[in-house]
Amino acid sequence: MGNVECLPDDPVLRLKILSKAGFLYFGAIEDKDRQLSGFLEVLVSYHGISKLTIAKMAGVEENDIDRLLVNPPEKIEIEVKYKIAVTVMELRFWLKDCESPI
């Protein structure tokens, strides 16, 4: 409804809450392949994990990682996408504390 009066006055805390709410909203309406591609891009560009490393961890080919990173992501087999998604989720979980807040 747009009512933000219930949010804390601290601007940093308010921003964190609004960012998480926005993530939940846009995550529900965004294309899931594009979302996976974005998370994968964070691992490669922000954390510096090589595409080959991610591919080996997921048990897929490096070109499968490349196909997900193009814009828009290319279609890949569902089993391959699942393996990559699980690996990306695992890596993001372990590395989330290394990412600076907005």
Side-chain angles (χ1 to χ4, degrees):
M1 299 238 178
N3 182 354
V4 293
E5 292 174 10
C6 63
L7 294 175
D9 291 332
D10 179 15
V12 173
L13 189 54
R14 183 180 280 237
L15 179 62
K16 283 183 179 182
I17 292 169
L18 289 173
S19 294
K20 289 183 188 252
F23 176 79
L24 289 172
Y25 172 75
F26 288 110
I29 63 170
E30 189 174 307
D31 175 16
K32 299 305 178 193
D33 286 353
R34 199 176 295 267
Q35 195 173 24
L36 175 57
S37 177
F39 287 133
L40 188 56
E41 183 64 39
V42 169
L43 292 173
V44 172
S45 61
Y46 183 87
H47 292 291
I49 300 174
S50 74
K51 294 181 280 185
L52 180 59
T53 298
I54 296 169
K56 285 186 176 188
M57 288 179 72
V60 299
E61 299 295 321
E62 187 175 4
N63 69 351
D64 293 322
I65 303 295
D66 288 329
R67 290 179 13 205
L68 265 176
L69 287 173
V70 295
N71 191 12
E74 294 178 11
K75 297 294 179 190
I76 61 172
E77 300 79 28
I78 192 73
E79 182 180 328
V80 171
K81 191 185 310 180
Y82 174 78
K83 289 178 179 181
I84 294 170
V86 168
T87 302
V88 166
M89 287 173 28
E90 181 180 47
L91 287 168
R92 290 294 309 276
F93 174 78
W94 289 109
L95 295 170
K96 70 180 176 182
D97 292 335
C98 299
E99 296 174 13
S100 62
I102 299 173

